[in-house]
């Protein structure tokens, strides 16, 4: 039993959508909201608050619940300006090979690299902004490799984490030392500091991190309320307060209050992730079927549990090709245990999803291009300065990077052809 009285279910739900799917008019609407939030001083507040709680929410169990609540607070402020405002998530695995070429980093969207000696961003929805925290400065970006960025983390690596990580501590380290840090470091400038919320990218990035956590919570039995690792007073518990700073008050909410989407004011879902459950898991009126209660019924899109990618059509190709390429059962079970456990009928359904006409799958020339680019790129490692700023254990961070590279070598040396 999770609690004697279940939290109140949301009566209205909004859907966070992929940034790649937004139209120019939708980006203009976002721009209008963030401009207002900027003029009202909220960007300075959130940047200050994040810096003040930084050491309590990085390298700690609170990483996921804090950012779920923190981004929601920002989103709710935006909805006071425009009731339709919802923060889109940026699935950075879609752009991992060449991040600087992402459509999310264009003039009509987030804008691109900073210019001049100060690295000031002069295009996009925050073009020519002046920010007040920690001192007056332009909004800055400095890509990790001149006008380019070093590769980020591929969808296959994230899929392996979702399937194989059995405890939150392991999953958090894999995400925090991998896709989380690589993306912040790739953009550089404000995004690579403790006051990263100065860049609206922060909220889109952490919406995606939250989406991956939600997928992991749904993909593994018992993970919905799994919360372990270093807490404020020893081992973390669901009753620990979510760290907060007076700049952005979170109401002394405990961690357990944000564990399930669709309840207790967490009134959003994702367009490519499982739906929230119909009833609060573990409550008195919960379904007797624990899997159904935890998974929340039917997913919003095909194959959401097995892959972290938001490219729904490609997920089917990813799963079926991994199953075919990693013929050694022990290896498949180690990295992709849920793929290994697929029944033949389920695998066939997934394969048909990946090969269906009109679902955004690969045409002949696209297949040829992907065959030529079949090798998955290694993700950029965390820098020493980034590791030091977070107080991470360098050996553990480097070990996570080596693990990711071993998986990539395994796939690159097999018959696997990435659909991404």
């Amino acid at each position: 039993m999770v609690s004697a009285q279940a939290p109140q279910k949301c009566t209205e739900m909004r859907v966070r959508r992929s940034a790649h799917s937004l139209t120019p008019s939708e980006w203009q609407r976002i721009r209008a909201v963030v401009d207002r939030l900027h003029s009202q001083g909220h960007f300075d507040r959130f940047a200050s608050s994040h810096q003040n709680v930084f050491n309590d929410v990085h390298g700690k169990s609170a990483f996921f619940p804090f950012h779920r609540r923190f981004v929601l607070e920002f989103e709710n402020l935006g909805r006071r300006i425009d009731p339709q405002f919802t923060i889109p998530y940026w699935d950075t695995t879609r752009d991992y090979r060449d991040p600087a070429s992402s459509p999310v980093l264009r003039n009509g969207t987030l804008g691109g690299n900073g210019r001049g000696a100060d690295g000031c961003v002069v295009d996009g929805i925050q073009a020519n902004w002046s920010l007040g925290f920690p001192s007056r400065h332009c909004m800055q970006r400095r890509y990790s490799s001149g006008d380019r960025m070093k590769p980020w983390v591929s969808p296959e690596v994230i899929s392996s984490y979702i399937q194989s990580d059995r405890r939150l501590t392991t999953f958090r380290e894999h995400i925090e030392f991998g896709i989380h840090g690589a993306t912040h470091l790739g953009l550089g400038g404000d995004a690579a500091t403790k006051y990263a919320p100065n860049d609206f990218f922060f909220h889109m990035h952490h919406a995606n991190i939250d989406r991956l956590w939600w997928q992991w919570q749904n993909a593994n039995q018992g993970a919905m309320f799994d919360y372990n690792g270093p807490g404020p007073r020893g081992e973390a518990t669901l009753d620990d307060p979510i760290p907060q700073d007076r700049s952005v008050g979170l109401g002394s909410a405990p961690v357990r209050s944000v564990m399930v989407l669709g309840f207790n004011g967490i009134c959003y879902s994702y367009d490519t992730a499982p739906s929230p459950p119909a009833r609060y898991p573990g409550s008195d009126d919960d379904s007797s079927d624990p899997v159904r209660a935890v998974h929340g019924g039917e997913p919003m899109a095909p194959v959401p549990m097995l892959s972290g990618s938001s490219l729904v059509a490609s997920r089917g190709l990813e799963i079926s090709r991994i199953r075919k390429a990693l013929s050694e059962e022990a290896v498949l079970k180690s990295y992709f245990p849920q793929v290994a456990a697929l029944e033949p009928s389920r695998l066939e359904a997934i394969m048909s999803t990946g090969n269906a006409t009109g679902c955004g799958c690969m045409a002949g020339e696209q297949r040829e291009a992907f065959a030529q680019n079949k090798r998955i790129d290694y993700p950029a490692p965390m820098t020493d300065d980034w590791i030091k700023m977070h107080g991470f254990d360098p050996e553990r961070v480097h070990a996570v990077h080596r693990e990711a590279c071993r998986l990539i070598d395994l796939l690159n040396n097999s018959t696997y052809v990435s659909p991404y």
Side-chain angles (χ1 to χ4, degrees), residues 24-145:
S25 62
E26 287 171 325
W27 276 107
Q28 282 298 317
R29 197 162 181 168
I30 290 173
R31 182 174 195 157
V33 172
V34 299
D35 277 341
R36 285 279 301 279
L37 292 173
H38 176 224
S39 67
Q40 294 170 358
H42 292 303
F43 274 81
D44 292 345
R45 285 201 310 114
F46 275 76
S48 171
S49 180
H50 188 263
Q51 175 165 291
N52 290 339
V53 300
F54 192 86
N55 293 335
D56 296 324
V57 301
H58 295 90
K60 306 287 196 309
S61 300
F63 174 75
F64 286 121
F66 166 79
H67 287 96
R68 176 172 284 178
R69 185 66 180 82
F70 192 71
V71 172
L72 176 62
E73 185 70 15
F74 187 89
E75 184 175 80
N76 286 340
L77 285 172
R79 290 174 69 82
R80 295 180 187 176
I81 297 168
D82 179 352
Q84 300 302 311
F85 176 73
T86 304
I87 293 176
Y89 66 89
W90 183 7
D91 176 10
T92 56
T93 68
R94 292 179 64 159
D95 305 308
Y96 89 97
R97 292 181 184 273
D98 183 13
S101 68
S102 170
V104 181
L105 296 173
R106 292 289 177 269
N107 185 40
T109 54
L110 286 184
N113 201 7
R115 300 302 176 195
D118 292 332
C120 299
V121 175
V122 298
D123 59 354
I125 63 174
Q126 291 180 276
N128 302 307
W129 271 26
S130 176
L131 294 160
F133 188 86
S135 60
R136 184 60 56 187
H137 69 288
C138 64
M139 212 279 283
Q140 299 172 334
R141 291 196 191 118
R142 291 187 176 91
Y143 286 0
S144 59
S145 190

Side-chain angles (χ1 to χ4, degrees), residues 341-408:
L342 282 173
E343 297 291 336
S345 59
R346 179 62 171 149
L347 181 62
E348 184 177 347
I350 291 173
M351 292 177 69
S352 66
T353 299
N355 292 316
T357 303
C359 67
C361 303
M362 293 184 291
E365 63 272 15
Q366 290 175 304
R367 289 193 188 96
E368 182 179 353
F370 275 117
Q372 293 172 353
N373 293 324
K374 63 157 282 186
R375 296 187 67 81
I376 303 170
D377 294 330
Y378 293 137
M382 302 299 96
T383 65
D384 291 341
D385 286 344
W386 181 262
I387 294 170
K388 184 177 180 180
M389 182 175 81
H390 287 77
F392 294 153
D393 176 359
E395 288 304 315
R396 184 59 194 141
V397 174
H398 297 323
V400 166
H401 186 258
R402 289 193 298 270
E403 291 168 12
C405 292
R406 277 197 294 269
L407 171 59
I408 291 169

Side-chain angles (χ1 to χ4, degrees), residues 31-269:
R31 182 174 195 157
V33 172
V34 299
D35 277 341
R36 285 279 301 279
L37 292 173
H38 176 224
S39 67
Q40 294 170 358
H42 292 303
F43 274 81
D44 292 345
R45 285 201 310 114
F46 275 76
S48 171
S49 180
H50 188 263
Q51 175 165 291
N52 290 339
V53 300
F54 192 86
N55 293 335
D56 296 324
V57 301
H58 295 90
K60 306 287 196 309
S61 300
F63 174 75
F64 286 121
F66 166 79
H67 287 96
R68 176 172 284 178
R69 185 66 180 82
F70 192 71
V71 172
L72 176 62
E73 185 70 15
F74 187 89
E75 184 175 80
N76 286 340
L77 285 172
R79 290 174 69 82
R80 295 180 187 176
I81 297 168
D82 179 352
Q84 300 302 311
F85 176 73
T86 304
I87 293 176
Y89 66 89
W90 183 7
D91 176 10
T92 56
T93 68
R94 292 179 64 159
D95 305 308
Y96 89 97
R97 292 181 184 273
D98 183 13
S101 68
S102 170
V104 181
L105 296 173
R106 292 289 177 269
N107 185 40
T109 54
L110 286 184
N113 201 7
R115 300 302 176 195
D118 292 332
C120 299
V121 175
V122 298
D123 59 354
I125 63 174
Q126 291 180 276
N128 302 307
W129 271 26
S130 176
L131 294 160
F133 188 86
S135 60
R136 184 60 56 187
H137 69 288
C138 64
M139 212 279 283
Q140 299 172 334
R141 291 196 191 118
R142 291 187 176 91
Y143 286 0
S144 59
S145 190
D147 285 334
R148 315 303 299 174
M149 282 184 252
K150 298 173 183 177
W152 290 344
V153 179
S154 75
E156 292 89 350
V157 172
I158 300 299
S159 298
S160 178
Y161 295 158
I162 289 173
Q163 293 187 40
S164 63
D165 291 347
R166 292 291 176 241
R167 299 306 307 271
L168 179 72
T169 297
T170 307
F171 185 67
R172 178 190 58 77
E173 287 189 344
H174 281 151
I175 295 299
E176 195 172 3
F177 300 166
I179 188 174
H180 170 255
T183 312
H184 276 279
L185 284 167
L187 289 174
D190 282 89
T193 68
K194 293 183 179 182
Y195 45 91
N198 274 338
D199 192 332
F200 184 63
F201 137 84
F202 171 93
H203 297 284
M204 294 171 55
H205 180 43
H206 277 281
N208 187 53
I209 297 299
D210 182 66
R211 179 183 69 96
L212 296 178
W213 180 31
W214 179 244
Q215 289 193 221
W216 179 83
Q217 286 182 281
N218 281 270
N220 298 278
Q221 185 66 34
M224 184 64 71
F225 294 102
D226 189 48
Y227 191 68
N228 56 84
R233 296 176 297 274
E235 182 70 13
T237 75
L238 290 170
D239 292 319
D240 290 342
I242 298 173
Q244 62 175 321
D245 169 74
R246 61 184 180 182
S247 299
V248 179
L250 303 180
S252 302
V255 167
R256 71 169 67 251
S257 69
V258 301
M259 296 300 285
V260 185
L261 302 191
F263 293 85
N264 214 26
I266 316 299
C267 300
Y268 62 84
S269 61

